[in-house]
Structures are given as structure tokens and as C-alpha cells.
Amino acid sequence: DLKIAVIGGGSSYTPELIEGFIKRYNELPVKDLYLVDIEEGKEKLEIVGGLAKRMVGKAGVGINIHLTLDRREAIKDADFVVTQFRVGGIDARIRDEKIPLKYDVIGQETTGPGGFAKAQRTIPVILDVCKDIEELAPNAWLINFTNPSGVITETVLKHTNVKAIGLCNVPIGMVYGVAEMLEVDPKRVYIDFAGLNHLVWGTHIYLDGEDITEKLIDSFAGGKSLSMKNVPQLPWDPDFIKSLGMYPCPYHRYYYLTDQMLEKQKEEAATVGTRGEVVKKLEQELFELYKDPNLNIKPPQLEKRGGAYYSDAACSLICSIYNDKKDIHVVNVRNNGTIADLPDDVVIETNAIIDRNGAHPINIGHVPAKIRGLMQAVKAYEELTIEAGVKGDYYTALQALTIHPLVPSAMIAKKILDDIIEQNRDYLPQY
Ligand code: NAD
Ligand code: G6P
Ligand code: MN
Ligand code: MN
């Protein structure tokens, strides 16, 4: 009997996941779905759990939804554990966004110092979750969505015995974006991805198996500019796109258009608020909707969040493992030589064949110099971020932040780090 545990079940994204399981029920007959949260999330869990139950009831599928604050009960003998929790909640995210901005550094929940702070809070918790999995469900697959997704997945693979695959909706969003540009069914579009989570490049784009990268780059450079709901859609410079010759992910704007993105962030922070502040309001609206006892489907308003296609990525991955499908997904997986320019034991984001044994990445070899340096620098930052997060080591943390390409100097890194530690005391037991 198929059992799935969702850690952070009170998330407003949960209806996405429920919809994904309902759609695939014939192939993936989930019997027990445990939504787990903590005391602080109890009210959200009850509201979203109520909607989940109504959705399942309306669809007439035999999924039993369980709501619990007992993580161990939920993990025991689970086949899959999905992690989608946010340590410290939305207020911690807002602080992550605001601290760097004080020093004219990009303030973003996953990219730069904000992502570093989120990782430091999350690492102790994910290691705890993994202890429960090792003890109570040693054969379970951990499907990690918790951000920074690549960093958290790498932490699990380096420091626990849990089988883990990391996920992000950006790659699938890029495939859907290209399909929309070409006005074709997304099934006809295939992209070779290489890089890291939120730093992934689409190196080749195919339509019905034919390489259309050059043609597409031309029209892309001509003005079309794809993004996610949470990343300001500043246009790319056409010459830049031509010189890159690949499809950058939305988050690349923070690196390639840093000055403009910083201005945009400062302007937003002073008017509508940071993204976290906007999301806080959006979430309150969503939960008001979720309370409606007549609502029994995923409401379209959820699409204002950045997590579009979340359920497609997660549920179809689980379905491929469960059914030993041997099809291709874009996942966060141990490098193992796939990208020759990175260590074996780090996590990369790339295309992989999925079967019952997990994710088998498709070989890439060396990447061109134009993307190699940035990828290696950010990966070194990520490796140090993980080491700092596990040990609580101030000096490792200081190096992590200093070498991050978006942080201009050691002195600014130090000020940001001190602020982060000061403002996150309650969530950093390792420091
Ligand atoms: P959220 O603030 O709604 O958090 C989800 C739930 O986690 C909350 O109900 C909260 O109470 C709970 N939680 C906090 N600490 C917990 C703990 N120790 N154990 C169990 N539950 C805990 O956040 P959200 O917007 O739903 O996002 C959840 C996570 O998913 C975040 O880390 C976010 O960055 C990530 N996310 C990732 C992707 C991706 O592409 N990988 C997409 C969307 C969201
Ligand atoms: C994108 C990213 C996620 C991120 C989300 C934020 O989907 O891939 O990793 O968590 O956006 O969306 P939000 O609506 O919370 O700003
Ligand atoms: Mn993501
Ligand atoms: Mn730097």
C-alpha cells in the first residue's frame, strides 16, 4: 500500500500536489497521504487539509488524507517523503530579503545571502527529518522541494543515508515557456539542461527531436522574455542572449543583470514590498479561499505564486520511480562526473533517466568557459554553505558569503553574516 508523507503539509501549495495525485491515481494509487506540520502551522494545516479532503472526495479517488503534527507517525514505513517546509515561516523569508538590500546586495530567498540564511535555518531540520527516515522508513525516497533545493539535497546526500532527489519547477517552466513561444504542445519540446538549481542553462532546445537552439535564440533575443511569477521580468539584451547562445533561467537575471535587478528590488521594497511581503498577503487571500466549504478544486488564484507546475514536477517524478518508467526528468542529483568541471559529490540540476533505482543523469562532459566560471563559483559557495550549516562554523560561513559572486567584499559579507546570525538566533542551533 502506497504511503506518502508531506513535511510542511500546511503549505498553500498543497492543493497543487493533491491535484497531481488525483490526476495520476490510476498509475499511482496513493492509499495514505500524511500532511505533517508543526504547532505554528496547525491552523494552516487544518484549512488546507480540509480542502485536500474535499478535493479527493469530489474526485472520488481512494486517497486517505491524514493531518498530523507527529512527523514520526507520518514517516513510518512511507514510500515517499516530500519535503516542502519553510523554517521560520514567511517572516524569516522577509528578513532574508531585507538584510542584503541594506548593503546594496540582491535580497532574494534562494539566490545570494538570502539563500544562505535560508540554508542555515533549514539544514538542522532536514538532518533531523532524515534521521527519522533512516530509522523509520529506510527504503523511502525523499523528494525535496525545500529551498534552496540543490543545497538541501546536497546536504542530504553528503551527510545522511537517505535516498534523495531534489526538484524545482524552473526547468519544467522553461519547457512550457518555449512551448508557449512556439505555440506547440509542451510534449514536443525537449531541453538539455546543465547547471545548478536556480542557475541552470538550457544548452540545447529541440522541437520533435530537431535542434532549434539557434532559431529560438534569435526570436528570444528579439524581445520575448520568459520568467517566473516571483522573478521580475526584466528584458534580456539581444546581443547578450546571442553571445550566450543558450537559454538562461529566470534567476540568471540576478547574476547577469545585477544592477538593474537591484534597482528593481529596492523600488519594489519601497512600494509594494519585497516578494516575501507580497506573498504574505497573497497567502492570506489563498487561505481565506481555502476555508470555503464549497471549494473542492485547486483555485486558479494559486497561479499567482511562483510554484507553477510544481505538482507536475513532483507527482510525475514519484510516478516514474514507482512505475520504473525510465523516462527523463530534470532533477537535482549527485554529479558523479556528469559535468566534468565539478566535483563528483556535489548536486547538479540536469536531465536524468528515472527508474525504480532513482535518477541516472545523462552525461554532459565539460561545459563552455562562458558558463563554467559562474557555475563553479556558485557551487563553491554552496559547498561552503553546506559545511557551515552542518558545523555551525562562522569562518566557513564567512568564506561562503565572501566568495558568492553577488557579494562585493569580505567586509560586506561579514556585516551581512552578523546580521543573519543575529536575526535568526532562534533557528540556528548549530551556531
Ligand atoms: P510556507 O511558509 O507555507 O511553509 C510550508 C509549511 O512548512 C508551513 O505550514 C509551516 O508551518 C511548515 N513548517 C515550518 N517548519 C517546519 C518544520 N520544522 N517541520 C514541518 N513543517 C514545518 O512555505 P511555502 O511557500 O509553501 O514553501 C515551502 C517550501 O517550499 C519553501 O522552502 C519554499 O522555498 C519551497 N518551494 C520550492 C519550490 C521549488 O522550486 N523547489 C517551489 C515552491 C516552493
Ligand atoms: C519558483 C521557484 C521556487 C520558489 C518560488 C517562489 O517557483 O522555483 O523555488 O520557491 O518560485 O515563489 P513565491 O510565490 O513564494 O515567491
Ligand atoms: Mn525552484
Ligand atoms: Mn564576492
Side-chain angles (χ1 to χ4, degrees), residues 80-126:
F80 295 90
V81 178
V82 179
T83 41
Q84 53 166 36
F85 57 87
R86 184 188 295 285
V87 180
I90 192 77
D91 291 325
R93 171 180 177 175
I94 294 168
R95 291 193 289 271
D96 291 348
E97 292 165 342
K98 287 188 168 175
I99 292 170
L101 283 180
K102 280 181 15 192
Y103 305 98
D104 275 346
V105 172
I106 291 290
Q108 214 281 328
E109 69 156 337
T110 62
T111 299
F116 169 86
K118 185 160 163 56
Q120 302 308 297
R121 285 193 304 276
T122 307
I123 286 172
V125 179
I126 195 76

Side-chain angles (χ1 to χ4, degrees), residues 247-266:
Y247 185 14
C249 86
Y251 286 81
H252 273 120
R253 288 183 176 86
Y254 295 112
Y255 296 92
Y256 291 140
L257 307 174
T258 313
D259 48 353
Q260 285 169 272
M261 289 297 271
L262 183 61
E263 281 317 303
K264 182 83 186 158
Q265 285 196 332
K266 288 205 249 178

Side-chain angles (χ1 to χ4, degrees), residues 170-401:
V170 161
I172 193 174
M174 289 167 70
V175 170
Y176 281 59
V178 166
E180 213 172 280
M181 272 174 72
L182 298 172
E183 296 177 14
V184 301
D185 186 324
K187 287 195 191 80
R188 296 174 57 193
V189 175
Y190 183 84
I191 302 181
D192 291 334
F193 287 99
L196 315 179
N197 179 234
H198 292 187
L199 192 83
V200 75
W201 289 269
T203 56
H204 298 273
I205 303 167
Y206 307 85
L207 178 63
D208 301 326
E210 187 201 339
D211 188 337
I212 56 159
T213 315
E214 260 179 60
K215 248 189 288 178
L216 201 82
I217 287 295
D218 279 344
S219 61
F220 191 60
K224 295 244 185 182
S225 178
L226 308 167
S227 194
M228 311 286 299
K229 286 277 154 59
N230 60 309
V231 179
Q233 195 166 349
L234 294 188
W236 292 107
D237 177 72
D239 287 326
F240 170 73
I241 291 295
K242 280 191 189 158
S243 67
L244 183 64
M246 317 175 186
Y247 185 14
C249 86
Y251 286 81
H252 273 120
R253 288 183 176 86
Y254 295 112
Y255 296 92
Y256 291 140
L257 307 174
T258 313
D259 48 353
Q260 285 169 272
M261 289 297 271
L262 183 61
E263 281 317 303
K264 182 83 186 158
Q265 285 196 332
K266 288 205 249 178
E267 175 199 310
E268 284 183 352
T271 53
V272 292
T274 65
R275 176 67 188 167
E277 291 174 303
V278 171
V279 163
K280 191 173 177 171
K281 284 194 205 113
L282 265 175
E283 241 173 28
Q284 282 159 359
E285 289 164 27
L286 281 171
F287 276 93
E288 278 312 308
L289 286 170
Y290 292 179
K291 280 182 192 163
D292 177 355
N294 295 314
L295 181 73
N296 52 20
I297 52 159
K298 179 186 89 179
Q301 286 90 337
L302 186 50
E303 280 161 24
K304 289 189 197 161
R305 296 291 307 273
Y309 319 122
Y310 165 56
S311 71
D312 277 322
C315 301
S316 73
L317 175 69
I318 292 173
C319 196
S320 291
I321 297 173
Y322 181 76
N323 292 303
D324 197 24
K325 274 199 178 168
K326 303 178 171 68
D327 57 354
I328 296 174
H329 292 247
V330 184
V331 291
N332 282 263
V333 62
R334 192 178 192 271
N335 182 34
N336 264 347
T338 305
I339 296 181
D341 311 294
L342 292 174
D344 280 348
D345 66 345
V346 302
V347 161
I348 60 169
E349 188 164 278
T350 194
N351 311 63
I353 298 169
I354 306 296
D355 65 15
R356 68 156 74 90
N357 299 313
H360 311 282
I362 298 168
N363 193 54
I364 292 171
H366 291 283
V367 298
K370 57 190 165 187
I371 69 169
R372 187 178 64 217
L374 179 56
M375 184 185 71
Q376 288 175 330
V378 173
K379 180 46 78 182
Y381 146 81
E382 291 187 351
E383 293 178 64
L384 293 169
T385 295
I386 293 162
E387 196 187 323
V390 170
K391 294 185 185 160
D393 184 61
Y394 182 86
Y395 288 140
T396 307
L398 184 56
Q399 280 299 321
L401 280 177

